[in-house]
């Protein structure tokens, strides 16, 4: 707002800012004759300070400095940010983890917004303590209140721009408050949101306000604030002795404190509040020199968690423990005390009264009431700041209490944090063109178990994770070495075919493997080793895998087939690619196919029942023993990849082979 002041006393002439060498002096005189730059320099730097420079006058300049940092970092962020609901999170991810020093730029911008809120509180308190809000400086006080609103507006609108879970749900809390306003509330909320639901229009409107509307407004108000301040000068304490000037005395103090504040911001960025990701070794890194590796480490330090936090992509279908940023927590806490029909008291009446009191504070000190107005201003601002601090502390304390609600909140927050970490790791392999929201929606590691529980766990078990199935085999470790080895010797176990009518293999074990010699047991180990090894080709060497294939050919191919060979006795499932994703996929979609378990198999067919072929699929399976269960292509792949421990994102219905495993 300002370095505050009583009516200025007659000032001595301004000292020269610097002596100029003859040659430079001639150039400066020529330039001043053409541009008048010296007058602008004097307007900016030559300011009389009755009583001399003071450390308590620094807050206004510090605010201007941090706002400049916000403008610079904001412009740099704009060069990589893409404001749409399908690209915003991805562009912020790029800035944080892939753009050179993007983590530093974003971190400074993030903590700079919070720093401005703190500095505004300190500056307001300093202004009322000095009495600089009293006439004839009431207009400057009101301009300062406008700046306060502009800065809070920037903080609120910027919160949503990453389009992550935290910003998405916190913004809903804020806009829902606007919707409670009597009369025009629902209309105002719809205008702010850009429609009935939160989406692309919400983001673009907040971006327009954050970039196109509020910064120019804050700049104009700042210029007006400084102009009005210079008209009335600095408020000096009563009985102040001595004279001083802004340059260089006060400017030096302003610079020192500004640098200290910047150092604190930089320390927060370097401490790191982001999610570290699994370090991706860049191509050629092994052969790069020490300098190149050091550059990579520093330029992309966001991968180590440095900088600001980025939550999981915004997802309306996924719950989140919504909380506003800490400087709005007091409003969140206040609303807890006004529920039901009293809600308007917390959302409208109390904030409006607080704003009105702040607006009227200067008017209390007119004329003979000046001393009363001074004290009143200090009480109001200090009381508001204390109330905000108490409410913020209560909100934080309640979230860390030992109550059931607090424990639930912390558990949800921990789950949300894990989801954010998972989304960031997944994004390293690519982001779906439909939007980053599908990173977690199409993540086999997190979505596979839920789909297995819904579609498969009624019949199958899966270790200790899903135990209710009592109709089919346990699929934990399916197709792996231990699973196959157990199947070869104990097919009648509940872990395998004990719940089914598939008894042919049990008879084979009883007849062929009743009294195994050690060498024969070794053959079974080799069969399991070969059958569990991708890509399960026919080995052409003398390795143990070749011996495993030879044992399989000798013992198993009377019933089973492999790449078209075998199956001369009883037709049993084809073992080409057994346990692989392709094998499981065919089993899920056509369990009664001759290459699987035949027409008598009671396992349902899992197929998509939407699209142009839906009627045909439904008609073909109308009388089938196992029935038809609806399962779209993406859901099917999520289950299959989870079973195969292939945790790549499912971008479509078919597996992707160029992402690496």
């Amino acid at each position: 707002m300002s370095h505050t002041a009583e009516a200025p006393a007659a000032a001595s002439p301004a000292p020269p800012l610097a002596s100029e060498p003859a040659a430079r002096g001639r150039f400066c005189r020529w330039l001043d004759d053409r541009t008048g730059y010296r007058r602008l320099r004097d307007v900016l730097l030559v300011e009389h300070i009755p009583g001399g420079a003071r450390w308590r006058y620094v807050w206004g300049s510090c605010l201007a400095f941090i706002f400049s940092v916000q403008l610079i970092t904001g412009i740099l962020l704009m060069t990589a940010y893409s404001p749409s609901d399908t690209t915003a999170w991805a562009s912020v991810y790029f800035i944080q983890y892939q753009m050179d020093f993007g983590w530093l730029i974003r971190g400074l911008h993030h903590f700079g917004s919070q720093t401005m809120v703190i500095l505004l509180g300190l500056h307001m308190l300093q202004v009322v303590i000095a009495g600089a809000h009293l006439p004839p400086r009431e207009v400057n006080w009101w301009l300062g209140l406008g700046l306060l609103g502009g800065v809070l507006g920037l903080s609120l609108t910027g919160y949503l721009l990453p389009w992550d879970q935290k910003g998405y749900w916190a913004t809903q809390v804020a806009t829902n408050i606007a919707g409670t306003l009597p009369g025009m509330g629902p209309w105002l909320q719809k205008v702010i949101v850009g429609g009935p639901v939160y989406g692309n229009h919400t983001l673009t409107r907040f971006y327009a306000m954050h970039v196109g509307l509020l910064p120019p407004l804050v700049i104009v108000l700042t210029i007006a604030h400084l102009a009005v301040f210079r008209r009335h000068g600095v408020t000096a304490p009563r009985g102040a002795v001595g004279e001083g000037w802004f340059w260089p005395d006060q400017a030096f103090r302003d610079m020192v404190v500004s640098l200290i504040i910047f150092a604190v911001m930089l320390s927060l960025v370097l401490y790191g509040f982001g999610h570290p990701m699994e370090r991706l070794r860049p191509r050629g890194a092994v052969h790069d020199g020490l300098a190149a590796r050091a550059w990579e480490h520093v330029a992309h330090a966001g991968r180590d968690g440095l900088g600001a936090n980025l939550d999981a992509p915004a997802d309306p279908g996924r719950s989140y423990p919504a909380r506003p940023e800490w400087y709005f927590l007091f409003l969140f806490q206040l609303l807890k005390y006004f529920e039901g029909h009293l809600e308007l008291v917390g959302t409208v009446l109390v904030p409006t009264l607080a704003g009105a009191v702040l607006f009227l504070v200067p008017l209390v000190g007119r004329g003979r009431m000046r001393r009363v107005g001074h004290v009143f201003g200090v009480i109001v601002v200090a009381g508001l700041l204390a109330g905000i601090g108490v409410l913020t502390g209560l909100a934080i304390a309640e979230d860390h209490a030992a109550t059931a609600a607090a424990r639930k909140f912390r558990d949800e927050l921990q789950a949300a944090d894990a989801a954010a970490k998972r989304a960031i790791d997944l994004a390293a392999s690519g982001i779906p063109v439909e939007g980053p929201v599908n990173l977690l929606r199409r993540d086999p590691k997190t979505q596979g178990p839920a789909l297995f529980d819904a579609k498969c766990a009624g019949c199958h078990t899966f270790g200790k994770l899903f135990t209710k199935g009592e109709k089919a085999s346990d699929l934990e470790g399916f197709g792996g070495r231990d699973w196959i080895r157990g199947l070869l010797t104990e097919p009648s176990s509940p872990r395998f075919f004990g719940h089914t009518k598939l008894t042919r293999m049990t008879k084979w074990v009883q007849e062929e493997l009743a009294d195994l010699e050690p060498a024969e047991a070794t053959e079974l180990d080799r069969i399991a080793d070969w059958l569990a090894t991708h890509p399960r080709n026919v080995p052409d060497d003398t390795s143990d895998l070749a011996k495993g294939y030879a044992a399989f050919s000798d013992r198993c191919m009377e019933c089973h087939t492999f790449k078209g060979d075998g199956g001369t006795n009883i037709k049993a499932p084809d073992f080409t690619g057994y346990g692989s994703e392709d094998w499981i996929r065919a089993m899920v979609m056509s369990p009664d196919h001759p290459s699987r378990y035949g027409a008598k198999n009671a396992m349902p067919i899992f197929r998509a029942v939407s699209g142009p072929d839906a009627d045909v699929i439904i008609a073909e399976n109308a009388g089938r023993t196992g029935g038809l269960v609806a399962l779209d292509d993406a859901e099917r792949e999520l289950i299959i990849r989870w079973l195969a421990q292939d945790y790549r994102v499912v971008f479509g219905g078919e597996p992707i082979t160029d992402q690496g495993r």
Side-chain angles (χ1 to χ4, degrees):
M1 294 168 188
S2 69
H3 305 312
T4 51
E6 292 283 350
S12 57
L17 293 179
S19 59
E20 298 172 343
R24 193 177 71 181
R26 287 193 297 272
F27 172 76
C28 291
R29 286 192 295 273
W30 173 84
L31 184 63
D32 182 57
D33 181 61
R34 269 65 175 175
T35 64
Y37 84 92
R38 284 177 174 172
R39 183 172 181 179
L40 177 62
R41 178 197 67 183
D42 293 345
V43 167
L44 294 175
L45 299 179
V46 179
E47 177 186 347
H48 175 240
I49 303 178
R54 295 286 190 275
W55 288 103
R56 64 174 177 268
Y57 295 160
V58 302
W59 304 117
S61 294
C62 290
L63 273 167
F65 171 74
I66 299 301
F67 182 63
S68 300
V69 171
Q70 292 300 94
L71 289 177
I72 295 170
T73 54
I75 291 172
L76 292 174
L77 291 173
M78 287 172 62
T79 63
Y81 179 72
S82 180
S84 80
D85 59 351
T86 57
T87 59
W89 188 92
S91 63
V92 176
Y93 170 87
F94 170 80
I95 292 169
Q96 180 69 21
Y97 294 101
Q98 297 178 351
M99 176 176 160
D100 287 352
F101 295 100
W103 62 274
L104 178 61
I105 297 168
R106 180 171 176 260
L108 289 174
H109 195 78
H110 174 82
F111 291 110
S113 65
Q114 303 182 39
T115 302
M116 287 197 69
V117 174
I118 296 173
L119 291 178
L120 275 167
L122 292 173
H123 189 47
M124 285 184 66
L125 187 61
Q126 178 251 326
V127 166
V128 295
I129 289 174
H133 62 294
L134 299 172
R137 298 174 180 82
E138 61 268 40
V139 172
N140 215 24
W141 171 260
W142 294 331
L143 288 171
L145 293 180
L147 284 169
L148 173 63
V151 169
L152 292 178
L154 284 168
S155 299
L156 179 63
T157 53
Y159 203 58
L160 178 68
L161 299 189
W163 203 244
D164 60 359
Q165 283 283 79
K166 188 174 184 180
Y168 178 86
W169 291 103
T171 302
Q172 286 211 31
V173 173
T175 53
N176 286 339
I177 291 175
T180 63
L181 294 173
M184 62 181 299
W187 172 84
L188 180 61
Q189 183 181 13
K190 189 174 181 178
V191 170
I192 296 173
V193 171
V197 295
Y198 294 82
N200 192 62
H201 285 169
T202 313
L203 180 61
T204 53
R205 293 191 181 201
F206 273 63
Y207 181 69
M209 288 189 287
H210 189 76
V211 172
L213 177 63
L214 291 174
L217 176 63
V218 171
I219 291 172
V220 170
L221 289 175
T222 300
I223 294 172
H225 190 65
L226 291 173
V228 175
F229 159 71
R230 293 300 294 272
R231 176 175 177 81
H232 299 288
V234 176
T235 302
R238 291 183 179 275
V241 178
E243 299 290 340
W245 297 90
F246 176 77
W247 183 270
D249 301 333
Q250 188 62 46
F252 172 76
R253 290 169 169 79
D254 294 350
M255 180 188 69
V256 169
V257 178
S258 294
L259 290 178
I260 292 173
I261 293 172
F262 184 80
V264 173
M265 290 169 48
L266 185 60
S267 298
L268 292 171
V269 175
L270 295 176
Y271 177 80
F273 290 84
H275 291 92
M277 65 185 297
E278 295 182 4
R279 173 67 66 171
L280 300 177
R281 184 183 296 277
R283 293 181 180 178
V286 175
H287 306 289
D288 288 343
L290 178 62
R293 291 197 298 271
W295 169 267
E296 171 68 22
H297 181 76
V298 174
H300 300 135
R303 296 176 183 176
D304 296 321
L306 274 64
N309 177 64
L310 177 62
D311 218 293
D315 187 351
R318 182 185 293 267
S319 62
Y320 187 86
R323 291 291 187 278
E325 192 59 278
W326 63 265
Y327 41 80
F328 288 127
L329 267 179
F330 74 96
L331 281 175
F332 178 79
Q333 184 68 18
L334 182 65
L335 295 180
K336 295 179 182 178
Y337 306 127
F338 300 99
E339 299 179 349
H341 64 281
L342 295 176
E343 185 179 33
L344 286 178
V345 176
T347 59
V348 179
L349 184 59
V350 173
T352 301
L353 285 176
V357 171
L358 285 174
F359 184 85
L360 296 173
V361 156
L363 303 181
V364 178
R366 297 180 66 87
R368 296 179 181 180
M369 297 292 290
R370 188 176 187 87
R371 183 178 295 274
V372 174
H374 188 179
V375 174
F376 180 71
V378 173
I379 293 174
V380 168
V381 173
L384 282 175
L385 292 177
I388 290 171
V390 169
L391 288 172
T392 302
L394 288 173
I396 295 173
E398 286 187 11
D399 286 340
H400 289 81
T403 62
R407 285 193 294 269
K408 180 182 177 182
F409 167 77
R410 292 193 294 271
D411 290 342
E412 292 175 346
L413 195 63
Q414 186 175 6
D417 192 67
K421 176 66 169 61
R422 179 64 181 161
I424 287 165
D425 286 339
L426 289 172
S429 297
I431 297 175
V433 68
E434 299 90 348
V437 66
N438 284 320
L439 282 172
L440 291 177
R441 289 181 178 179
R442 302 286 182 84
D443 173 29
K445 190 173 184 179
T446 57
Q447 297 302 306
L451 287 168
F452 183 92
D453 185 30
K455 302 293 185 178
C456 310
C459 297
H460 291 277
T461 55
F462 190 91
K464 295 181 180 180
L465 186 60
F466 301 109
T467 59
K468 61 185 179 182
E470 296 183 352
K471 296 180 181 179
S473 56
D474 188 320
L475 294 181
E476 184 180 33
F478 173 75
R481 194 264 179 202
D482 293 338
W483 198 95
I484 295 172
R485 185 64 178 84
L487 174 66
L488 290 173
T489 54
E490 297 182 298
S492 60
S493 167
R495 183 184 177 192
F496 303 109
F497 297 140
H499 294 308
T500 72
K501 297 179 180 180
L502 300 175
T503 60
R504 290 176 295 188
M505 190 167 179
T506 301
K507 293 179 180 179
W508 173 77
V509 170
Q510 292 172 347
E511 295 173 359
E512 300 290 333
L513 307 180
D515 299 311
L516 284 178
E517 298 294 332
E520 293 175 312
T522 301
E523 282 189 349
L524 297 185
D525 291 333
R526 288 171 176 169
I527 292 174
D529 288 338
W530 168 74
L531 202 54
T533 303
H534 286 276
R536 300 179 178 85
N537 292 323
V538 178
D540 56 1
D541 53 28
T542 59
S543 65
D544 286 341
L545 290 181
K547 294 176 181 178
Y549 172 71
F552 172 83
S553 179
D554 181 53
R555 290 186 173 276
C556 307
M557 289 183 67
E558 287 187 7
C559 299
H560 294 278
T561 56
F562 182 80
K563 292 192 172 181
D565 296 328
T568 57
N569 189 1
I570 301 172
K571 192 66 175 177
D574 179 58
F575 271 9
T576 305
Y578 183 72
S580 68
E581 295 177 24
D582 287 336
W583 198 95
I584 299 172
R585 186 177 299 107
M587 181 69 191
V588 168
M589 298 179 70
S590 300
D592 55 356
H593 191 272
S595 67
R596 294 302 178 259
Y597 287 94
K600 294 182 179 180
N601 187 8
M603 177 176 169
I605 286 179
F606 293 85
R607 300 286 295 273
V609 293
S610 60
D613 298 330
D615 293 341
V616 176
I617 294 172
I618 294 173
E620 288 179 348
N621 295 278
R624 190 181 173 280
T625 303
L628 172 66
V629 176
L631 188 73
D632 67 37
D633 293 343
E635 291 176 334
R636 180 194 69 226
E637 291 303 313
L638 287 169
I639 296 174
I640 292 172
R641 291 194 186 184
W642 177 66
L643 289 173
Q645 297 183 20
D646 176 2
Y647 297 140
R648 297 171 297 160
V649 175
V650 176
F651 284 79
E654 294 297 326
I656 297 173
T657 59
D658 59 358
Q659 285 183 287
R661 296 180 62 180

